[in-house]
Amino acid sequence: MILTVKSKSRTQFIDITSDIQKMVRTSGISEGLCMLYVPHTTAAITINESADPSVASDILMVLNEVIPWKAEYHHLEGNSPAHIKSTLVGASELIAVENGNLVLGTWQGIFFCEFDGPRTRKVNVRLIKEQFD
Ligand code: ZN
């Protein structure tokens, strides 16, 4: 399955927890795994606190400070900082599913991370049903 995400800024964290949870529910899978994969070189996926939106904006602020837009990059497309952030944050997450629910901590949410927006992006969602012998 594919989740389409539309970013509105150059860099942005988008909470996709409820979208993914809905896909898990719709699939009917009770126990298993949910694999999320971002097939982009200037975006990423991460899990962190979603209760306070300041956490996501603080992470983004620090990433933007540590990896500045202007430096002596060689990549001709001019978006090296977005590639670097994508590699640091990572392209995938694997989450357990129990009783039809994503197993996330109380404060955890799943964020799509845009580093070179605004763009229309994709998250590949794979649900694996647990097999019992
Ligand atoms: Zn590039």
Side-chain angles (χ1 to χ4, degrees):
M1 291 180 287
I2 298 287
L3 175 70
T4 301
V5 181
K6 287 183 182 175
S7 61
K8 291 176 182 156
S9 310
R10 192 175 207 185
T11 60
Q12 185 183 3
F13 274 34
I14 300 167
D15 189 337
I16 58 169
T17 314
S18 61
D19 300 297
I20 303 300
Q21 180 59 62
K22 267 181 219 150
M23 292 170 102
V24 172
R25 281 275 162 77
T26 305
S27 77
I29 283 180
S30 175
E31 313 294 315
L33 291 170
C34 174
M35 187 218 67
L36 304 174
Y37 184 81
V38 171
H40 302 289
T41 59
T42 56
I45 195 157
T46 194
I47 293 171
N48 213 301
E49 176 167 343
S50 60
D52 178 2
S54 298
V55 174
S57 61
D58 284 350
I59 293 169
L60 205 46
M61 180 186 76
V62 170
L63 282 172
N64 286 331
E65 280 173 11
V66 172
I67 306 152
W69 277 102
K70 294 202 173 173
E72 291 188 20
Y73 301 117
H74 296 286
H75 177 46
L76 292 175
E77 197 188 7
N79 62 353
S80 278
H83 289 293
I84 295 163
K85 288 169 196 163
S86 169
T87 278
L88 285 179
V89 176
S92 67
E93 290 288 353
L94 188 63
I95 305 158
V97 174
E98 279 177 20
N99 296 318
N101 294 309
L102 292 165
V103 182
L104 292 168
T106 308
W107 309 111
Q108 285 183 319
I110 306 161
F111 292 92
F112 176 86
C113 311
E114 176 61 76
F115 296 127
D116 195 17
R119 293 194 200 202
T120 299
R121 303 289 207 167
K122 287 175 181 167
V123 179
N124 197 319
V125 182
R126 292 287 161 139
L127 296 166
I128 305 154
K129 190 177 174 184
E130 196 165 305
Q131 303 292 314
F132 296 100
D133 290 319

Tab-separated table of all heavy atoms in Angstrom, residues 41-42 75 77-80 83, ligand 1:
chain	number	residue	atom	x	y	z
A	41	THR	N	15.219	10.288	-1.699
A	41	THR	CA	16.574	10.560	-1.213
A	41	THR	C	16.673	11.878	-0.447
A	41	THR	O	17.741	12.207	0.079
A	41	THR	CB	17.580	10.603	-2.383
A	41	THR	OG1	17.176	11.631	-3.293
A	41	THR	CG2	17.655	9.270	-3.098
A	42	THR	N	15.561	12.623	-0.402
A	42	THR	CA	15.585	13.897	0.331
A	42	THR	C	14.413	13.972	1.315
A	42	THR	O	13.922	15.050	1.623
A	42	THR	CB	15.551	15.103	-0.635
A	42	THR	OG1	14.405	14.990	-1.477
A	42	THR	CG2	16.816	15.169	-1.483
A	75	HIS	N	27.410	18.641	-4.910
A	75	HIS	CA	26.245	18.121	-5.646
A	75	HIS	C	25.580	19.251	-6.439
A	75	HIS	O	25.160	20.253	-5.874
A	75	HIS	CB	25.286	17.497	-4.633
A	75	HIS	CG	24.014	16.981	-5.188
A	75	HIS	ND1	23.948	16.210	-6.332
A	75	HIS	CD2	22.738	17.098	-4.740
A	75	HIS	CE1	22.684	15.889	-6.550
A	75	HIS	NE2	21.936	16.419	-5.608
A	77	GLU	N	22.774	19.581	-8.026
A	77	GLU	CA	21.342	19.871	-7.895
A	77	GLU	C	21.082	20.931	-6.810
A	77	GLU	O	20.014	21.540	-6.777
A	77	GLU	CB	20.579	18.581	-7.576
A	77	GLU	CG	19.085	18.672	-7.827
A	77	GLU	CD	18.329	17.449	-7.330
A	77	GLU	OE1	18.926	16.571	-6.673
A	77	GLU	OE2	17.121	17.377	-7.602
A	78	GLY	N	22.082	21.126	-5.931
A	78	GLY	CA	21.964	22.179	-4.925
A	78	GLY	C	21.162	21.810	-3.694
A	78	GLY	O	20.820	22.675	-2.892
A	79	ASN	N	20.845	20.520	-3.541
A	79	ASN	CA	20.050	20.134	-2.370
A	79	ASN	C	20.772	19.120	-1.481
A	79	ASN	O	20.137	18.275	-0.850
A	79	ASN	CB	18.677	19.612	-2.807
A	79	ASN	CG	18.774	18.367	-3.679
A	79	ASN	OD1	19.867	17.964	-4.074
A	79	ASN	ND2	17.644	17.765	-3.960
A	80	SER	N	22.095	19.229	-1.419
A	80	SER	CA	22.867	18.314	-0.571
A	80	SER	C	22.396	18.270	0.888
A	80	SER	O	22.355	17.195	1.477
A	80	SER	CB	24.352	18.663	-0.613
A	80	SER	OG	24.927	18.094	-1.769
A	83	HIS	N	19.732	15.735	1.198
A	83	HIS	CA	20.240	14.357	1.101
A	83	HIS	C	20.890	13.931	2.418
A	83	HIS	O	20.718	12.795	2.874
A	83	HIS	CB	21.277	14.255	-0.022
A	83	HIS	CG	20.701	14.367	-1.399
A	83	HIS	ND1	19.872	13.420	-1.945
A	83	HIS	CD2	20.842	15.327	-2.349
A	83	HIS	CE1	19.532	13.777	-3.176
A	83	HIS	NE2	20.107	14.946	-3.451
B	1	ZN	ZN	20.002	16.102	-5.187
